[in-house]
Amino acid sequence: MRDCFCTVNLDQEEIFRTNVVEKSLNPFYGEDFYFEIPRAFQNLSFYIYDKNVLQRDLRIGKVAIKKDDLFRYSGKEPWFPLQPIDSNSEVQGKVHLELKLNELITDNGSVQQLMVHVLACEGLPLVNGQSCDAYAAVSLVGPSRNDQKKTKVKKKTSNPQFNEKFYFEVTRSSSYTKKSQFQVEEEDIEKLEVRVDLWNNGNLAQDVFLGEVRTSVSVLRNDSTHRHGYLLQPKDNGSKSSKYDDLGSLRLSISYTEDYVLSSDFYSPLRSLLVKSPDVQPITASAAFILGEVCRDKNDAVLPLVRLLLHYQKLVPFVATIAQLDLNDTQEANTIFRGNSLATRCMDETMKIVGNHYLKVTLKSVIDEICDSPKPCEIDPNRLREGDNVDNHKDNLRSYVDKVFSCIVKSSMSCPTVMCDLFSALRHMAVRHFPNDPHVQYSAVSSFVFLRFFAVAVVSPHIFHLRSHHPDAATSRILTLISKTIQTLGSVGNLSKSKTSSFKEPFMCDFYKMFEEETYTADVKKFLEEISSTESKEPSGMSESVILKDGEMHKRAQGRTRIGKKNFKKRWFSLTSREFSYHKQKADKEPMFRIPIKNILAVEKLDENAFNRNNMFQVIYGEKPLYIQANNCVELNEWIEVLSRISRRNQRRLSKYHSSAFINGSWLCCKASAESAEGCHMCTVNVPADVALDIDGDRECERIYSLFSRSMPKLQKMEEACGSIAVYQGPQEHNEYHFTIDDSVETFKTIQQIKAMVEKLNEPHEKYKKYCTSAKYGSQ
């Protein structure tokens, strides 16, 4: 049996790892990881490791998917066979070369000379966690020759600048006769090849292969100079025996999206049409509603739509209006908002986006307590082991439920304003629709906040960023039992129907009888009234200090003393809504150093040349910056984004910064000799933005354009259905897609506008695609 974990890598750079699944040959991970890709890459790779306590973890096998192939697997969950790991095939980065043929006149006549200019490399991998000590071996290979020369070693850099030229004599055929115009004999040139191998200098250890490039000298047949950038390839182009032991398979669900976002003015007409959706009469004729109708999967439409309308403060009126459509079809009060419509999906997505901070404030500490030291809570007689005391388990579970319930019903002051506005609208609409039901005002809100928000977050804390990993099976079971009880405690329905009837299992009915229903119902009603009130209250939870992000990174010593080397040390960093701090270890309560958020002046990347380390950033807060090294490029971007977002409103934010460090009396970036000299680069963020949400309106418009573009056949059908209804005065049977069309004339007009806008946006997209396909490999 093995203790295995899986890592996700961009080329060679690890960006995520799962928990270890112990003693299993068929481990199930069930972990979701979503990230923006911050740099160019060749392969998305997955490595399976066997955890080893005393020695280095053993690499069992890998799955490497080329960037161009990622689209093929989107929306599927295939099994990928694990491939063996060969150090000669583990490559990343590129090399820039220049080749040139010269003609030299010597005493013995004319001789051809090949010049190979090794300019630089980009994006070489880390070796054992450190930047490379790289050198290049340049060879001219032919049937009867193999001349090799080497560059100098460039230490501690992933982007070495070699700028070295090497000269090789190229033999001419004996049949050569001097021509007025310089030419190369074809039969010679076809057989010669330039090979550049990149190596990491191991000093006392063995050198590590970093990749190779092979190019035929025949590229110079029509042009005497050839300058190109090449992606590094595995040794012998990765050719290896197709026979190897069966290492097992890895099942992956990958969703890869690439957006080509045009400049803002291109989207202006589409944006205006979408943003005015809440004001369109009837709402079913609006562009936003039509998007939900024509998309194959409504979920694809919901995310960009919610984010765009949220960005322009139009979400609340839109959701309220489409929720009224749901209400019109609801016959019984106890089934209110239980369907899977556009309105309920928009609500779910809104709560996920704006409620993230609210969940952390409310539940993170109690979820951490349950997951870090879970007490036995199993109460199903069929799952109990011999010697288990079911009464103790019930007490443990009751204690956890009470803690979670208490956190929820006391959290109304932290509920985001957008959620409160939506709950208020839903509550008033429900009362108007069912005037004789005294409980519907509560069930309209509880069906979302308890059933679709808190209960889901309790059972899947990793999806809502309350935990970094999927809980193990035993903890998941505890969270499931808590979630079931919370759902029932939070439902305020018809009192003639007993709440215990909502449980399928008899043991849950018995457990629920431990709770005094009236007390809990009173607390729930008070909470639901508070969160659906539109009275002004404190901003959403910012008054409480909550951890927004934490993790282990390396920081450079602050250098408070003149003596001793300024080195890098591993520390546990923590960012709350009030301060950024680091601790010696995760378990330490008191931080070693803290920076109040209001004192942060800028957060920017740091050039690699500052300390010969990559993935570095700086937090500028006073006279001296705090220099920090993140573990990978994704983590680097996430820290910079969250720190920038929370400090954007600071009054004294800088507009310029230094991109490197002040070392030996000058700034490495601009050579200024004064440490207090003004920065030489413009800060990337110098305008205030919404602290809670970072939404790019243009990107969301691009997503919506591409959805309309893909759904054009269905949009055409909807247009035809409108025409048919207008002619025959009423809905027709051939409306095969069951479109909701209340006003065929208005809907027809909107569809015409959408089609015209999509056609207009197709032009710059086609131009971009043409440009991409015409770009030559190796060109800048």
Side-chain angles (χ1 to χ4, degrees), residues 50 83 99 135 149 152 172 267 313 333 395 400 484 492 512 537 539 545 659 674 702 723:
D50 187 2
Q83 306 289 335
L99 306 181
Y135 69 89
K149 299 176 181 185
K152 291 173 184 167
R172 288 192 181 284
Y267 300 108
Q313 287 92 42
D395 289 342
Y400 282 152
K484 282 182 175 184
V492 183
Y512 190 75
K537 57 189 183 62
S545 182
S659 64
E702 170 61 29

Side-chain angles (χ1 to χ4, degrees), residues 283-556:
I283 193 72
T284 52
S286 68
F289 189 87
I290 291 169
L291 178 67
E293 288 287 285
V294 298
C295 272
R296 194 168 57 85
D297 184 351
K298 268 193 173 67
N299 287 337
D300 290 343
V302 166
L303 181 60
L305 193 57
V306 165
R307 290 173 71 88
L308 185 74
L309 293 176
L310 202 52
H311 189 57
Y312 290 101
Q313 287 92 42
K314 291 286 186 178
L315 184 70
V316 176
F318 177 72
V319 174
T321 315
I322 58 171
Q324 187 63 55
L325 298 179
D326 284 10
L327 270 177
N328 297 343
D329 293 336
T330 307
Q331 305 301 320
E332 292 182 35
N334 59 356
T335 62
I336 193 166
F337 301 129
R338 291 292 170 98
N340 216 1
S341 64
L342 183 63
T344 56
R345 289 183 193 196
C346 283
M347 276 295 295
D348 290 349
E349 203 54 58
T350 304
M351 292 190 297
K352 250 188 200 172
I353 296 169
V354 302
N356 207 327
H357 181 82
Y358 176 35
L359 276 178
K360 283 183 177 173
V361 173
T362 309
L363 290 182
K364 188 163 181 6
S365 58
V366 67
I367 295 290
D368 282 345
E369 181 192 330
I370 296 165
C371 293
D372 291 339
S373 49
K375 296 173 187 171
C377 292
E378 187 53 73
I379 55 174
D380 182 352
N382 298 324
R383 292 181 181 229
L384 289 170
R385 295 182 192 150
E386 202 177 322
D388 279 354
N389 185 327
V390 72
D391 290 334
N392 281 353
H393 289 199
K394 279 185 179 179
D395 289 342
N396 291 339
L397 185 57
R398 168 78 194 262
S399 164
Y400 282 152
V401 169
D402 278 340
K403 278 183 181 175
V404 172
F405 181 82
S406 174
C407 288
I408 293 171
V409 295
K410 289 177 180 173
S411 69
S412 61
M413 291 301 280
S414 304
C415 188
T417 311
V418 173
M419 283 171 66
C420 293
D421 290 346
L422 282 167
F423 293 148
S424 175
L426 296 175
R427 182 181 167 192
H428 288 105
M429 283 157 52
V431 171
R432 279 198 303 274
H433 196 74
F434 294 104
N436 301 322
D437 191 316
H439 304 290
V440 74
Q441 59 171 318
Y442 301 114
S443 55
V445 179
S446 69
S447 61
F448 286 109
V449 77
F450 277 99
L451 208 65
R452 293 170 175 261
F453 186 57
F454 284 122
V456 183
V458 167
V459 85
S460 305
H462 58 295
I463 291 175
F464 289 85
H465 310 293
L466 297 174
R467 297 287 292 177
S468 53
H469 290 284
H470 180 73
D472 60 47
T475 311
S476 270
R477 175 68 182 159
I478 296 169
L479 294 173
T480 302
L481 293 171
I482 295 168
S483 178
K484 282 182 175 184
T485 316
I486 289 294
Q487 277 182 46
T488 309
L489 285 171
S491 64
V492 183
N494 192 333
L495 286 186
S496 63
K497 191 178 174 189
S498 169
K499 281 193 182 183
T500 52
S501 63
S502 65
F503 293 114
K504 293 172 189 169
E505 310 95 336
F507 65 86
M508 284 302 293
C509 293
D510 291 342
F511 173 65
Y512 190 75
K513 286 171 186 170
M514 294 173 71
F515 296 86
E516 294 165 23
E517 196 167 315
E518 286 181 17
T519 314
Y520 287 87
T521 302
D523 287 344
V524 167
K525 283 183 175 179
K526 182 172 178 285
F527 168 67
L528 294 174
E529 282 171 6
E530 286 169 352
I531 62 169
S532 57
S533 159
T534 50
E535 291 171 21
S536 60
K537 57 189 183 62
E538 288 180 40
S540 52
M542 278 301 185
S543 55
E544 291 184 53
S545 182
V546 62
I547 294 173
L548 302 174
K549 187 170 177 61
D550 57 9
E552 203 168 56
M553 294 188 286
H554 288 82
K555 65 116 198 138
R556 188 176 186 245

Side-chain angles (χ1 to χ4, degrees), residues 496-640:
S496 63
K497 191 178 174 189
S498 169
K499 281 193 182 183
T500 52
S501 63
S502 65
F503 293 114
K504 293 172 189 169
E505 310 95 336
F507 65 86
M508 284 302 293
C509 293
D510 291 342
F511 173 65
Y512 190 75
K513 286 171 186 170
M514 294 173 71
F515 296 86
E516 294 165 23
E517 196 167 315
E518 286 181 17
T519 314
Y520 287 87
T521 302
D523 287 344
V524 167
K525 283 183 175 179
K526 182 172 178 285
F527 168 67
L528 294 174
E529 282 171 6
E530 286 169 352
I531 62 169
S532 57
S533 159
T534 50
E535 291 171 21
S536 60
K537 57 189 183 62
E538 288 180 40
S540 52
M542 278 301 185
S543 55
E544 291 184 53
S545 182
V546 62
I547 294 173
L548 302 174
K549 187 170 177 61
D550 57 9
E552 203 168 56
M553 294 188 286
H554 288 82
K555 65 116 198 138
R556 188 176 186 245
Q558 300 275 63
R560 293 184 194 85
T561 59
R562 294 276 177 195
I563 307 160
K565 191 180 174 187
K566 291 185 181 178
N567 55 0
F568 282 80
K569 290 185 177 169
K570 199 183 275 188
R571 294 287 181 255
W572 183 264
F573 285 82
S574 176
L575 173 67
T576 72
S577 43
R578 289 178 181 165
E579 66 180 25
F580 180 52
S581 60
Y582 61 78
H583 306 245
K584 194 164 188 176
Q585 292 165 328
K586 184 179 180 179
D588 294 353
K589 292 214 167 158
E590 274 305 304
M592 296 176 72
F593 184 76
R594 49 163 64 102
I595 305 170
I597 296 299
K598 64 177 190 290
N599 292 357
I600 294 176
L601 307 177
V603 184
E604 298 289 344
K605 285 184 181 176
L606 193 70
D607 292 346
E608 187 193 326
N609 68 359
F611 303 108
N612 288 329
R613 287 171 178 248
N614 54 9
N615 297 326
M616 294 265 324
F617 69 99
Q618 52 183 325
V619 179
I620 304 168
Y621 62 95
E623 290 179 12
K624 290 191 177 182
L626 176 62
Y627 296 123
I628 303 168
Q629 183 182 26
N631 297 310
N632 56 60
C633 61
V634 171
E635 209 174 271
L636 169 75
N637 266 34
E638 286 176 353
W639 273 107
I640 291 175

